[in-house]
Amino acid sequence: MAKTNYHNKENKNVKALFSVVCLCIIALGLIVYFSAVQNKTAPKNNAVNENQTLEVTTEVQRAVTLKETTTQAVTKAEKQEKTTAKSEKTTEKTTMDEGKNNTPFRSFYKYPLTEAVSKGYSEELVFDSTMGDYRAHAAVDFKGHSGDEVVAINDGIVLDVYNDSMLGNVIEIDHGGKLVAKYCGLESVAVKKGSRVNIGNKLGTLGAVPCEGSDEAHLHFETELDGKPVNPLDVMNKTE
């Protein structure tokens, strides 16, 4: 009886040991399986992460490139605008300088015809033998002969060319600094509206002034500064 109990106890120990060994084998198999799965998945995840990182880097580079391109374009446009403004300012200063009291300043003015004056500037009433009345003479009459060449007193732009019943053919020129000159009593005209002229350029030839027809041949020359009549000789720094 005692021997039988011993064998039963020994069988139970063997079964327990077998169970433990089986559990160990199963556990080892699970460890190997999950390790393999993890190793197999990891490279894929790493590849995905690398692709995502590459895409983000590319987008950042594109954004930086776009910003640099935009900045360069803006800078170029600003430089061009400043250059254009500087060029325009320089041109205006060269052709349209102004001195004290808004009087145009030039180092030299040419006479539009001859230096001889037949009738000077007067804001007071003077007798007009042709019209038979008294009126202001807001001009200077320069002596000449029919067909003589009339020239520009300085650089400028032709504002208008027209025929006036009292003054004959007239050329209006903007000489800068708000100075506008009217060359009146021309026979022929060599310029047109919008033309740019330089000092001494031919404007036309001398003709007659209808409202002063009884006077000898002359150029009726008027100047306005900011829309107000001024003595041409004062503007040109000339004396009678």
Side-chain angles (χ1 to χ4, degrees), residues 144-208:
H145 299 88
S146 181
D148 284 352
E149 187 177 275
V150 177
V151 301
I153 61 172
N154 218 301
D155 302 345
I157 298 175
V158 179
L159 297 179
D160 204 358
V161 177
Y162 58 91
N163 180 270
D164 186 272
S165 60
M166 300 290 285
L167 299 174
N169 289 322
V170 179
I171 298 176
E172 287 190 20
I173 297 181
D174 180 356
H175 287 294
K178 300 181 181 181
L179 173 65
V180 175
K182 295 181 181 181
Y183 302 75
C184 310
L186 301 178
E187 176 65 29
S188 65
V189 175
V191 295
K192 60 182 179 179
K193 182 178 180 179
S195 299
R196 180 176 291 276
V197 298
N198 296 321
I199 183 171
N201 282 170
K202 179 180 178 180
L203 302 179
T205 58
L206 187 63

Side-chain angles (χ1 to χ4, degrees), residues 69-202:
T69 303
T70 304
T71 302
Q72 291 175 355
V74 171
T75 302
K76 185 177 180 180
E78 291 177 347
K79 288 182 178 179
Q80 185 174 2
E81 183 178 355
K82 289 180 180 179
T83 301
T84 302
K86 184 177 180 180
S87 177
E88 293 176 351
K89 185 176 180 180
T90 301
T91 301
E92 182 179 356
K93 184 176 181 180
T94 301
T95 60
M96 297 186 178
D97 290 344
E98 294 181 10
K100 294 181 180 180
N101 301 320
N102 201 35
T103 301
F105 173 78
R106 295 291 198 288
S107 59
F108 177 72
Y109 281 90
K110 285 187 69 69
Y111 282 96
L113 192 60
T114 65
E115 298 182 14
V117 175
S118 60
K119 184 185 295 185
Y121 180 89
S122 176
E123 294 181 355
E124 298 180 357
L125 299 180
V126 294
F127 184 72
D128 187 322
S129 58
T130 302
M131 304 302 293
D133 59 12
Y134 287 85
R135 59 182 62 197
H137 188 254
V140 170
D141 293 345
F142 292 98
K143 294 180 181 180
H145 299 88
S146 181
D148 284 352
E149 187 177 275
V150 177
V151 301
I153 61 172
N154 218 301
D155 302 345
I157 298 175
V158 179
L159 297 179
D160 204 358
V161 177
Y162 58 91
N163 180 270
D164 186 272
S165 60
M166 300 290 285
L167 299 174
N169 289 322
V170 179
I171 298 176
E172 287 190 20
I173 297 181
D174 180 356
H175 287 294
K178 300 181 181 181
L179 173 65
V180 175
K182 295 181 181 181
Y183 302 75
C184 310
L186 301 178
E187 176 65 29
S188 65
V189 175
V191 295
K192 60 182 179 179
K193 182 178 180 179
S195 299
R196 180 176 291 276
V197 298
N198 296 321
I199 183 171
N201 282 170
K202 179 180 178 180

